[in-house]
Amino acid sequence: MAPYESDDNATAADAEELRSARRRKAARYVVPATVVGIAAATIGLVPALADSGDPDLPKISAQELIEKIAASDVQQLSGTVKITTDLGLPDLGGLESSLGSAAGPSGSGDGSSADPSTKLTELASGTHTLRVASDGEDKQKVSLLEDAAEYSLIHNGKDVWGYDSKSNSVFHTTASESDGKQKEELPATPKDLAEEALKAADKTTSVTVDGTAQVAGRDAYRLVIKPKDEGSTVGQITVAVDSKTGLPLKFTLTPASGGSAVVDAGFTQVSFAKPAASTFDFTPPKGAKVEEGDAAKAPERSEHPGDFGKGSAHEPGKGGPEGLNVIGDGWDSIATFDTGGQGVPSGSEVGGDVGGFLDSLGDKVSGKFGEGTVFKTRLINALITDDGKVYVGAVTKDALVKAAEAAK
């Protein structure tokens, strides 16, 4: 039996070939995860489909398109990216004001508005425009465009710079290296995100080619990845793949609950010409406050799609919370660990804006495990039991409750 369904009986070898190709070469145009790990796990660099008619392209099978993605080796590009992320979180409203004084003017808690680990988390919600450029694995630049301001993250050789024009502050560190090679990055581009999604291409997944599209004036094929597991919160993933280069240009994740996409990102303009060398030059402006940071250690990436980048199910806790384990596999996998705490207080116990925020996020549940609270987004849900155990995954509330009961 084929490991996943497709319109042309593509096999597990195709997904394995993609994994092997990915391991053979580093991502060519992303800032290292040592700097942007927090943001990279939640965003993709890709824009909306153009309004023009679908291009007439030669027929291609799912197997051939997967192979085309695996063979893609784009090293030079520049362009503009639009990213929209909608996890369905409630408006923080007064909560932001309540926490603002504790976080400080930069919102990071330490006054470092140029630190990418805090700055780029803004991409986890709302709509944002970025300019991106790359020239091989040692030169990348991402600029977040804001009202009358700009935040840039530049990787040039061993140096990584973050610059916030609004506060005239600079963050500097060095790219993490291992045995002379750049560490592997967390998913940060349509290519990375597509490859991560295809790792789940097993018997629980349907992979098909669904027509064509245009992205930023480029002709592209549409690859559709659908979980067959009923417990998954993922409805489908659509990847627009450039017909010439095989580079994923657009990544759209639609939830099983319907409605707008959770992640909709794509190039509105893209060029594969070599960017000017000056694009990656950076010197701290006069009067700027420069903070030196240690090179962060990137979390190890798992070969198992359900392990949430925390190590494998056979090595609990590796790269994540102590005692971390993974229940199940594929789209229905659930990460679980014990905080050793007493669960989460109710909104009435906390009171005020923070209490209201907790109540808006959580649903009280009960079962063989006792009682707990399920915190919900449109994609990731988490159950925290009153005895401090945590169950989290891209699965439904019922799936979390069943996992907690089975653990008893």
Side-chain angles (χ1 to χ4, degrees):
M1 180 177 179
Y4 56 83
E5 290 185 353
S6 80
D7 57 352
D8 52 19
N9 297 318
T11 67
D14 308 319
E16 179 57 34
E17 179 179 349
L18 184 62
R19 298 187 191 106
S20 298
R22 191 180 191 290
R23 289 192 290 266
R24 287 196 301 267
K25 56 193 179 187
R28 302 294 187 185
Y29 47 90
V30 295
V31 180
T34 55
V35 182
V36 296
I38 293 178
T42 58
I43 67 171
L45 303 180
V46 243
L49 294 175
D51 293 332
S52 57
D54 295 340
D56 185 13
L57 296 173
K59 185 177 180 181
I60 191 170
S61 68
Q63 174 181 339
E64 291 168 333
L65 193 52
I66 290 170
E67 292 172 351
K68 198 173 186 69
I69 295 172
S72 179
D73 191 24
V74 174
Q75 299 188 42
Q76 298 167 337
L77 67 78
S78 59
T80 303
V81 170
K82 182 179 179 181
I83 300 172
T84 298
T85 307
D86 179 13
L87 289 171
L89 294 172
D91 185 358
L92 297 182
L95 182 62
E96 289 182 330
S97 299
S98 300
L99 300 179
S101 57
S106 71
S108 64
D110 60 4
S112 177
S113 61
D115 186 340
S117 66
T118 54
K119 185 66 178 179
L120 292 184
T121 55
E122 294 177 13
L123 297 177
S125 63
T127 298
H128 303 274
T129 300
L130 301 96
R131 281 199 293 259
V132 300
S134 172
D135 184 8
E137 62 183 30
D138 294 326
K139 293 183 178 181
Q140 302 94 31
K141 181 176 181 178
V142 178
S143 295
L144 173 61
L145 308 183
E146 303 171 314
D147 293 337
E150 181 175 314
Y151 176 79
S152 292
L153 190 59
I154 305 110
H155 172 213
N156 192 344
K158 291 184 178 181
D159 291 309
V160 178
W161 299 93
Y163 175 61
D164 181 19
S165 66
K166 186 175 182 180
S167 62
N168 196 29
S169 58
V170 176
F171 178 88
H172 176 251
T173 187
T174 55
S176 177
E177 295 184 355
S178 177
D179 297 328
K181 295 182 180 180
Q182 180 180 314
K183 279 201 172 187
E184 197 156 352
E185 295 86 359
L186 289 172
T189 69
K191 179 178 174 67
D192 294 325
L193 291 166
E195 290 173 348
E196 287 297 305
L198 284 167
K199 284 182 181 180
D202 57 14
K203 64 183 180 181
T204 68
T205 309
S206 167
V207 181
T208 59
V209 177
D210 184 20
T212 63
Q214 273 207 340
V215 177
R218 305 280 302 185
D219 292 349
Y221 293 101
R222 287 165 45 91
L223 186 69
V224 177
I225 304 165
K226 289 184 179 181
K228 295 192 293 185
D229 295 334
E230 295 182 357
S232 176
T233 55
V234 177
Q236 74 174 40
I237 293 170
T238 304
V239 183
V241 182
D242 187 75
S243 62
K244 291 185 177 180
T245 67
L247 180 73
L249 297 173
K250 178 180 173 66
F251 180 96
T252 303
L253 190 157
T254 305
S257 59
S260 62
V262 173
V263 177
D264 184 31
F267 287 99
T268 56
Q269 182 276 327
V270 64
S271 169
F272 296 110
K274 180 182 177 69
S278 59
T279 302
F280 311 100
D281 292 339
F282 180 80
T283 300
K286 184 178 180 180
K289 177 183 177 182
V290 180
E291 177 192 359
E292 292 290 338
D294 295 331
K297 293 182 179 179
E300 294 191 30
R301 298 188 62 175
S302 170
E303 291 300 312
H304 305 281
D307 291 353
F308 305 98
K310 303 296 186 181
S312 78
H314 304 291
E315 299 177 283
K318 184 177 180 181
E322 182 178 356
L324 179 73
N325 196 10
V326 176
I327 301 171
D329 54 21
W331 301 95
D332 282 348
S333 59
I334 297 171
T336 177
F337 58 95
D338 191 342
T339 66
Q342 298 297 318
V344 178
S346 66
S348 60
E349 291 174 319
V350 175
D353 293 325
V354 177
F357 179 70
L358 287 174
D359 281 344
S360 67
L361 280 179
D363 285 343
K364 289 294 183 180
V365 294
S366 60
K368 296 178 181 178
F369 55 86
E371 295 185 342
T373 304
V374 174
F375 293 91
K376 305 164 294 181
T377 73
R378 299 177 67 216
L379 183 64
I380 303 297
N381 295 322
L383 165 61
I384 304 178
T385 63
D386 287 351
D387 60 358
K389 292 182 176 59
V390 178
Y391 301 83
V392 60
V395 298
T396 63
K397 177 175 72 174
D398 289 345
L400 293 174
V401 170
K402 288 180 181 178
E405 290 185 330
K408 283 297 181 181

